[in-house]
Amino acid sequence: MSDPQGQRGAAEPAKARGRGPGRRPGPTETREKILASARELFAEKGYDGASLRAIARAAEVDPALVHHFFGNKEGVFIEAMRFPVDPAVLLPRILAFPRERRGEAVARTFLQVWEDEERRAPMLAMLRSAMTNERAAALLREFVASALFGRASQATDAAPLGIQAAAGQMVGLMVLRHVLRIEPLASASAEELIELVAPTLQRYLAP
């Protein structure tokens, strides 16, 4: 006579095999494995030197999976390095303003990002690292040059030097406001600062 209990007992391990050490990793584990490999490669080779194929190879996954989770190398970098802003999102927001208000758009967008404490903290950490570590500086420089300045130059008629000067002015302003906390700059309202710097930024960005 057959033993139902025995049959179930024999079947249980077969079902459980998928939960053993050799099981295929799920989407979350695969995603985290890609990010871990990307962090190592970005740190070792810089932004320009780390290709999507190299990241996929280090993570032992198909390159199509990297595209599926992150879209492109820029997306991998933003997630892996916890970069607090996505240039692909910010630039259309700036370009939505009329050309004659482009300076205001830059000032307003920068302030919206920097006034958000959750995004400001990692940006300050990156800036501090870049100021004291050449490898961190090179990594940040390559990413900003490609993802921000390069994209802005392609999308607008502003000169590259003007784009960089505008960004430099806003970063310097935010360091004085949020790192050194120099008064009255630290206590000024966002609208006061926008009104103050927008004309200068507009001049930088004029074609």
Side-chain angles (χ1 to χ4, degrees):
M1 181 181 290
S2 61
D3 180 1
Q5 292 287 349
Q7 288 176 356
R8 279 200 298 271
E12 291 282 347
K15 286 183 182 178
R17 274 183 222 144
R19 297 194 298 270
R23 69 185 177 85
R24 179 179 295 179
T28 301
E29 292 169 273
T30 300
R31 194 174 186 280
E32 290 304 316
K33 191 175 181 183
I34 292 170
L35 290 176
S37 298
R39 287 185 197 104
E40 290 182 12
L41 277 178
F42 284 135
E44 178 186 345
K45 299 182 179 297
Y47 181 77
D48 291 341
S51 68
L52 278 184
R53 285 192 173 277
I55 293 169
R57 187 163 54 247
E60 300 179 328
V61 300
D62 190 297
L65 270 178
V66 184
H67 281 285
H68 169 73
F69 284 121
F70 306 104
N72 53 27
K73 185 168 73 169
E74 188 178 307
V76 179
F77 181 89
I78 289 168
E79 290 278 348
M81 308 310 290
R82 297 182 176 88
F83 200 74
V85 293
D86 185 348
V89 174
L90 292 186
L91 192 57
R93 199 180 297 172
I94 292 171
L95 295 179
F97 280 70
R99 181 182 297 184
E100 63 273 14
R101 293 178 57 200
R102 196 74 46 85
E104 176 195 342
V106 170
R108 196 171 292 282
T109 301
F110 259 83
L111 279 161
Q112 284 173 349
V113 172
W114 279 83
E115 300 299 291
D116 180 345
E117 189 174 347
E118 287 188 8
R119 290 194 284 183
R120 183 171 69 243
M123 288 184 73
L124 288 175
M126 285 183 183
L127 284 175
R128 288 188 177 107
S129 296
M131 290 174 186
T132 58
N133 183 292
E134 176 52 35
R135 181 167 289 184
L139 180 61
L140 186 59
R141 180 169 60 245
E142 289 172 5
F143 174 72
V144 170
S146 172
L148 183 58
F149 295 152
R151 179 176 277 136
S153 294
Q154 291 174 355
T156 70
D157 48 11
L161 183 59
I163 292 171
Q164 293 176 17
Q169 172 136 354
M170 289 308 299
V171 170
L173 190 71
M174 293 303 101
V175 169
L176 290 176
R177 180 173 170 84
H178 293 293
V179 180
L180 301 181
R181 298 178 183 175
I182 292 177
E183 294 293 354
L185 187 65
S187 300
S189 70
E191 290 301 322
E192 284 179 296
L193 293 179
I194 291 168
E195 184 178 351
L196 180 68
V197 302
T200 301
L201 297 179
Q202 185 69 32
R203 182 170 58 83
Y204 288 149
L205 299 172

